[in-house]
Amino acid sequence: MELKFARRMDGFEPGIFNVLDDRKNERLAQGKPVYNLSIGTPDFLPEPHIVEALVRAASDPGNYRYSLGETAELTQAVRNWYSWRYGVELAADELMSIYGSQEGLTHVGWALCDPGDVVLVPNPGYPIFEIGPYLCGAECVHYPLLEENNYLPDLEYFDPDLAEKARFMVVSYPANPLCMAAPDGFYPRLIAFAKKYNIVILHDNAYSDIIFDGRVGKSFLAFEGAKEVGVEFNSLSKTYNLTGARVSFVLGNREIVGAFKRLRSQIDYGMFLPVQAAAVAALNGPQDSVERNRAEYQARRDALCGGLRSIGWNVPDSQGSMFVWAPVPEGFSSSVEFCFHLLDRTGLLCTPGSAFGPLGEGHVRFALVRPVPVMDEVVAAVKASGICGGGL
Ligand SMILES: Cc1ncc(COP(=O)(O)O)c(C=O)c1O
């Protein structure tokens, strides 16, 4: 039988990541060191009280039915969380659980746009921002995030014809991969822009708790008028080290949440109850691990960015997120070429900036997923390779 697949599958070639992975495995097979800083999976463990809540709930046979939505305890825990953490009051119908922001951002487009509708996504940006709209046939238009604008969209000079056409715009700070936090003054301007052009804002807030140098991670919903124009995606993945449990939320505009709920009710029977219990324990329980993890990420950032700068590679300090955005040193034709070179010469594996859109070219992304002593080893390996000292 000749199998035929949808044309949309053509956009999902495995490509460069598989090749880099093969090269990494070759090194490991030869007994050579590999420092894998390519993927943003935290190496911290979830707190014991969260695991205990999950295990307790998982040992109750009554918890294996369809949940058909959030439990009352989870809804209340999320409402409390937004109140104490962000100063945002939410009604019960202004939030819904999703299986990770990744899943939510993929599917929300199905509720918001029709094939051919224009959607604005950041460039460089986290790839899922584009994949969701692509799957539902929308036309993704990149808006540039440039260093000279502090990696913020230039709303003042935005093409009005394009803005008129746009159905929604994805915005996310602290930004992956750019590692920039947005100043407070940005959000009122964004909300005014959204109102002027009737554009829904989807704010992805995955990293409000991984933010450095005294900055305070906020919610988009804390700014006046935000609920009128959009929703926020927030995730327990990074703040509570629950990446595999897939616990996230969409919160804000009641009509958008309602429409999305209607759509999801066709495809989803609700989050596994023990995972909901774990989320309640995370949100209602002690919060000291959040600050501990943040401080550890900052120490890793200092070791990596400071260390690389000390050997001549001008890598700026990340303002937030669990990543570092580093310019490719001179002498390389692309971020992919540099990634291979770095892996071969040092064992350090990172992600080429071009994976985040055309404007990501010229940079690579490191994930802060190893402790400080390993970051020191990484810096020593880069130094020994001569990459930053004219030893290309
Ligand atoms: C910007 C951003 N949004 C969303 C996600 C995914 O979050 P979740 O685990 O909730 O799907 C990530 C994960 O790396 C991310 O970097």
Side-chain angles (χ1 to χ4, degrees):
M1 185 176 140
E2 191 195 343
L3 288 176
K4 291 218 161 81
F5 294 96
R7 273 198 300 279
R8 72 176 65 85
M9 294 303 293
D10 299 345
F12 300 134
E13 291 301 323
I16 180 65
F17 290 101
N18 285 24
V19 187
L20 269 171
D21 211 46
D22 289 347
R23 192 79 72 97
K24 175 199 81 180
N25 290 334
E26 268 169 40
R27 272 188 74 92
L28 286 172
Q30 292 162 4
K32 294 181 179 165
V34 168
Y35 307 99
N36 189 351
L37 303 187
S38 64
I39 296 177
T41 302
D43 56 331
F44 303 125
L45 299 175
E47 289 299 286
H49 69 275
I50 302 176
V51 178
E52 276 157 27
L54 181 96
V55 169
R56 212 176 315 116
S59 14
D60 177 353
N63 281 338
Y64 287 78
R65 62 197 156 80
Y66 294 129
S67 69
L68 301 174
E70 302 76 38
T71 60
E73 292 76 23
L74 181 59
T75 300
Q76 196 51 49
V78 173
R79 293 176 68 195
N80 293 347
W81 171 44
Y82 257 65
S83 180
W84 61 254
R85 173 64 186 82
Y86 301 112
V88 172
E89 302 306 321
L90 291 169
D93 60 354
E94 291 177 320
L95 66 99
M96 175 176 59
S97 59
I98 45 182
Y99 298 113
S101 297
Q102 184 100 352
E103 180 270 318
L105 283 158
T106 305
H107 287 135
V108 71
W110 294 87
L112 287 173
C113 59
D114 290 309
D117 281 345
V118 168
V119 164
L120 302 173
V121 295
N123 174 22
Y126 185 58
I128 199 68
F129 299 158
E130 189 160 355
I131 287 169
Y134 165 79
L135 284 175
C136 63
E139 185 193 338
C140 288
V141 178
H142 288 152
Y143 64 86
L145 297 181
L146 304 174
E147 197 174 352
E148 60 260 36
N149 295 334
N150 292 321
Y151 293 121
L152 295 169
D154 193 350
L155 299 175
E156 218 177 307
Y157 292 98
F158 213 95
D159 175 359
D161 292 336
L162 177 61
E164 288 287 358
K165 282 194 215 137
R167 191 59 74 93
F168 68 80
M169 176 175 185
V170 185
V171 178
S172 180
Y173 294 95
N176 172 13
L178 299 167
C179 308
M180 253 317 163
D184 282 359
F186 166 67
Y187 288 102
R189 288 192 285 114
L190 177 68
I191 291 163
F193 174 79
K195 282 187 180 167
K196 178 171 176 190
Y197 292 108
N198 213 30
I199 303 175
V200 166
I201 302 297
L202 306 182
H203 185 251
D204 181 13
N205 200 13
Y207 296 108
S208 63
D209 288 316
I210 309 181
I211 190 159
F212 307 133
D213 305 318
R215 293 180 181 84
V216 179
K218 296 195 176 167
S219 164
F220 161 66
L221 301 177
F223 294 87
E224 203 181 324
K227 268 195 208 174
E228 275 172 65
V229 301
V231 288
E232 175 154 279
F233 290 78
N234 208 332
S235 173
L236 304 200
S237 287
K238 309 292 165 85
T239 301
Y240 297 101
N241 305 311
L242 291 174
T243 45
R246 316 307 297 130
V247 197
S248 303
F249 302 93
V250 55
L251 323 99
N253 184 281
R254 175 177 283 125
E255 284 176 79
I256 298 174
V257 171
F260 194 17
K261 215 175 246 187
R262 211 154 12 104
L263 175 89
R264 293 181 95 258
S265 71
Q266 307 299 311
I267 53 175
D268 169 43
Y269 286 147
M271 190 175 281
F272 187 38
L273 288 165
V275 172
Q276 297 202 32
V280 170
L283 296 175
N284 287 351
Q287 299 296 313
D288 41 320
S289 65
V290 176
E291 171 53 23
R292 217 171 40 243
N293 291 341
R294 194 204 59 72
E296 172 63 17
Y297 279 123
Q298 184 167 318
R300 293 171 179 192
R301 179 210 62 174
D302 290 345
L304 187 63
C305 298
L308 291 175
R309 283 199 300 272
S310 76
I311 59 167
W313 186 357
N314 197 14
V315 177
D317 276 342
S318 308
Q319 297 183 353
S321 85
M322 56 189 294
F323 303 102
V324 163
W325 189 236
V328 170
E330 273 177 31
F332 295 90
S333 62
S334 72
S335 55
V336 168
E337 184 201 344
F338 177 66
C339 281
F340 278 111
H341 186 85
L342 194 63
L343 180 62
D344 289 343
R345 295 282 289 273
T346 67
L348 175 53
L349 181 59
C350 60
T351 305
S354 54
F356 302 99
L359 291 177
E361 188 51 273
H363 282 77
V364 291
R365 190 196 73 175
F366 297 110
L368 296 168
V369 291
R370 306 306 306 278
V372 169
V374 179
M375 294 303 182
D376 292 340
E377 270 180 50
V378 163
V379 172
V382 174
K383 184 177 184 189
S385 76
I387 283 175
C388 301
L392 302 178

